[in-house]
Amino acid sequence: TNFQENDESPPSNELVYGELSVEVLATILDAVGVQENDVFLDIGSGDGALVLGASLLYADTTNNGDDASDGGNAMKMCYGVDIVPGLVDRSISHHDNLHRILQDNESFLQRNQADIELLLGDIHQPDGQLQKILHETTIAVCFATTWSAAVGTSLQGRKLPKLSKALSHGLSSGCRVVIIDGKLDEKDDFLWR
């Protein structure tokens, strides 16, 4: 995809924007079972809301509200990758705003927020940095509306062979992958639960 190198946007007929709420993400992550030191990746992270939410959702609050102590965070790192430069710029702006708000309030959440990195990248043709991120990811989430817009409306018609192949080559064994509004290919060794 040369449009990325030329600061162009992908053809508009290839993109359909969909968004999940942080509440829905929390339900998904609870169902998947977040574990200590998990590394989260939002594929097609858009404006970064889910990455920012994931970075705060699992701050350890077992200190009974004592803001003087740090409880840590089950999420070690939260990444977001998107192919649209303007969305990555917006996600970085949102991250900066959240950081400023949390820092101004010297909050427990600021001290216990997971580290965040938001980047421009193509999941189908990952560069070295994105390959490293894919390898260390333990939970990947993708709202696949973008990739499934041109096919049928049923889940059976929303198979994502190109994404499936990219993830099967990049993610480590044992990574938990949640695809919403699409289906990865079982031939790439993805198990359905």
Side-chain angles (χ1 to χ4, degrees):
T1 51
N2 293 335
F3 64 83
Q4 198 174 5
E5 295 166 2
N6 299 328
D7 267 345
E8 299 172 15
S9 292
S12 61
N13 65 340
E14 290 185 19
L15 296 179
V16 175
Y17 188 72
E19 188 173 305
L20 295 177
S21 68
V22 174
E23 294 84 3
V24 170
L25 176 66
T27 301
I28 291 167
L29 292 176
D30 286 345
V32 168
V34 172
Q35 301 166 9
E36 194 67 32
N37 292 316
D38 266 333
V39 175
F40 173 82
L41 172 63
D42 183 4
I43 301 165
S45 57
D47 65 8
L50 296 186
V51 179
L52 300 178
S55 76
L56 294 168
L57 282 171
Y58 293 92
D60 184 357
T61 58
T62 58
N63 64 3
N64 297 320
D66 177 7
D67 280 351
S69 64
D70 291 344
N73 192 313
M75 291 286 191
K76 181 171 82 173
M77 186 73 190
C78 294
Y79 292 104
V81 62
D82 205 290
I83 199 166
V84 180
L87 289 175
V88 174
D89 291 343
R90 188 179 331 165
S91 70
I92 291 169
S93 176
H94 291 322
H95 176 250
D96 292 345
N97 288 337
L98 177 62
H99 179 74
R100 199 170 17 263
I101 290 166
L102 294 176
Q103 190 173 29
D104 288 348
N105 295 321
E106 297 181 14
S107 73
F108 167 82
L109 286 175
Q110 189 265 334
R111 290 190 308 274
N112 294 288
Q113 181 181 25
D115 290 333
I116 296 171
E117 186 172 343
L118 302 155
L119 63 140
L120 180 66
D122 183 346
I123 200 75
H124 298 121
Q125 297 175 348
D127 62 12
Q129 179 185 16
L130 186 50
Q131 287 176 0
K132 181 180 175 288
I133 290 168
L134 285 167
H135 184 72
E136 72 179 80
T137 296
T138 58
I139 299 176
V141 173
C142 178
F143 188 14
T145 300
T146 296
W147 291 287
S148 59
V151 295
T153 57
S154 73
L155 186 57
Q156 290 302 102
R158 292 181 184 263
K159 292 183 181 172
L160 306 166
K162 190 175 176 184
L163 179 61
S164 183
K165 185 174 183 174
L167 295 181
S168 70
H169 288 28
L171 296 173
S172 293
S173 177
C175 178
R176 290 152 287 158
V177 181
V178 178
I179 303 293
I180 297 141
D181 201 27
K183 186 175 180 183
L184 298 178
D185 197 331
E186 292 174 355
K187 290 184 286 185
D188 290 322
D189 291 327
F190 287 100
L191 303 176
W192 308 109
R193 299 176 190 204

